[in-house]
């Protein structure tokens, strides 16, 4: 390279796009050519779409009728299909539209396993103590029945008679060493037990919801089968149950 070309290259200035003047700084960044091209292309695409929609509207027959006009509606800006035989909650509709049957069945299995695990940990002791039942004792005479001592017969302390589970005998109570637990610790244990029961109830409700959704999805899949005759509606679906249909019996060849 000659010395003249080197000198020309050294004196050449780098091109820089013009920045926003200080007087117009409040309007934001100055639009560059690439920004203008992107905005122009977006505007042209929208104009072509509007032109096509106007053409379709002009060519449409105003007397033409579609059943979809009365079988669909717009809710909160979302186009939804009407289902006259089903009254589902919003959560159930949203789950049915976004997830498939396998996912619902998988989530239901997970919830069922967690419910079994919680029930095995809690043992439902409080429920067992609150459940009314009968325990019949037989005596030899009316005198023995009159002087019948339940605590002595069960060989336990009178304070434990209301329990139906975890009712140790007096011989075991003498050998047991109870830990020193203050009132604060007891309240904490009771609170943890209460929270565990609340979680169990929530998971049971969740498993029931998933069961209903799975049943509705299975019914929708069965109704889409074109090979069988259209079934008869027995009962409409509700938020707590799937719709019931009765198919006509067809003998298989």
């Amino acid at each position: 390279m000659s010395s003249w070309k080197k000198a020309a290259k050294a004196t050449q200035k780098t091109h820089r796009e013009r920045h926003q003047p200080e007087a117009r700084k409040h309007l934001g960044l100055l639009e560059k050519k690439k920004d203008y091209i992107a905005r122009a292309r977006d505007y042209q695409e929208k104009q072509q779409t509007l032109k096509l929609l106007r053409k379709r509207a002009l060519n449409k027959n105003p007397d033409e009728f579609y059943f979809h006009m009365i079988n669909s509606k717009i809710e909160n800006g979302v186009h939804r299909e009407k289902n006259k035989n089903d009254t589902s909650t919003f959560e159930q509709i949203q789950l049915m539209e976004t997830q498939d049957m396998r996912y619902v069945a998988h989530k239901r299995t997970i919830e069922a396993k967690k419910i079994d695990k919680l029930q095995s940990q809690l043992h439902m002791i409080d429920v067992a103590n609150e459940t009314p039942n009968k325990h019949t004792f037989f005596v030899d005479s009316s005198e023995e029945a009159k002087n019948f001592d339940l605590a002595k017969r069960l060989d336990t302390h009178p304070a434990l008679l209301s329990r139906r589970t975890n009712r140790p005998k007096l011989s075991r109570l003498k050998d047991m060493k109870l830990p020193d637990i203050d009132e604060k610790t007891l309240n904490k244990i009771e609170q943890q037990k209460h929270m565990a029961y609340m979680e169990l109830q929530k998971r049971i409700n969740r498993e029931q919801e998933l069961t209903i959704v799975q049943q509705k999805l299975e019914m929708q899949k069965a109704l889409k089968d074109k090979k069988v005759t259209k079934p008869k509606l027995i009962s409409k679906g509700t938020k707590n149950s799937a719709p019931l249909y009765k198919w006509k019996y067809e003998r298989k060849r």
Side-chain angles (χ1 to χ4, degrees), residues 231-247:
K232 180 182 178 182
L233 179 64
I234 302 300
S235 63
K236 297 181 179 180
T238 63
K239 63 179 181 179
N240 296 323
S241 64
L244 293 179
Y245 288 87
K246 183 178 180 180
W247 274 265

Side-chain angles (χ1 to χ4, degrees), residues 6-57:
K6 289 182 179 180
K9 190 173 182 180
T11 56
Q12 186 178 2
K13 292 184 178 180
T14 305
H15 173 72
R16 296 180 181 178
E17 288 196 58
R18 176 185 167 201
H19 65 279
Q20 185 73 284
E22 290 293 332
R24 297 173 56 86
K25 195 173 183 180
H26 62 283
L27 299 175
L29 296 175
L30 182 65
E31 188 182 48
K32 304 299 188 294
K33 185 176 180 179
K34 59 179 182 179
D35 302 326
Y36 167 76
I37 291 173
R39 183 167 59 86
R41 286 176 179 171
D42 180 64
Y43 176 78
Q44 290 170 3
E45 289 177 0
K46 291 178 180 178
Q47 290 298 318
Q48 290 175 1
T49 304
L50 291 174
K51 186 178 179 180
L52 179 62
L53 291 174
R54 290 192 190 99
K55 184 178 179 181
R56 289 180 179 176

Side-chain angles (χ1 to χ4, degrees), residues 108-126:
R108 180 189 169 193
T109 304
I110 293 175
E111 290 296 331
K113 289 181 179 179
K114 290 181 179 179
I115 289 171
D116 293 339
K117 185 177 180 181
L118 280 172
Q119 287 178 342
S120 63
Q121 291 175 353
L122 295 172
H123 300 293
M124 312 299 288
I125 295 175
D126 294 343

Side-chain angles (χ1 to χ4, degrees), residues 125-217:
I125 295 175
D126 294 343
V127 178
N129 289 331
E130 294 173 2
T131 304
N133 59 358
K134 293 182 179 180
H135 192 164
T136 305
F137 294 94
F138 296 93
V139 294
D140 297 331
S141 62
S142 58
E143 185 69 23
E144 187 178 353
K146 185 177 180 180
N147 300 325
F148 184 76
D149 188 358
L150 182 60
K152 185 177 180 182
R153 181 65 176 269
L154 294 175
D155 191 21
T156 186
H157 195 273
L160 303 177
L161 290 177
S162 59
R163 293 189 179 185
R164 289 176 175 82
T165 59
N166 194 15
R167 187 170 54 199
K169 295 185 178 181
L170 290 174
S171 56
R172 288 195 59 191
L173 286 173
K174 293 178 181 178
D175 299 334
M176 290 174 62
K177 294 182 180 180
L178 299 177
D180 296 332
I181 302 177
D182 55 355
E183 190 70 22
K184 186 177 180 180
T185 306
L186 286 174
N187 293 335
K188 187 177 180 180
I189 295 173
E190 190 69 23
Q191 184 180 5
Q192 290 176 352
K193 184 178 67 174
H194 178 68
M195 295 296 292
Y197 276 109
M198 285 184 62
E199 182 184 357
L200 177 61
Q201 184 61 43
K202 288 180 180 179
R203 294 199 177 277
I204 291 175
N205 295 337
R206 174 67 175 170
E207 198 269 339
Q208 292 175 353
E209 284 283 330
L210 291 172
T211 303
I212 296 170
V213 173
Q214 184 179 358
Q215 292 174 353
K216 290 181 178 180
L217 288 173

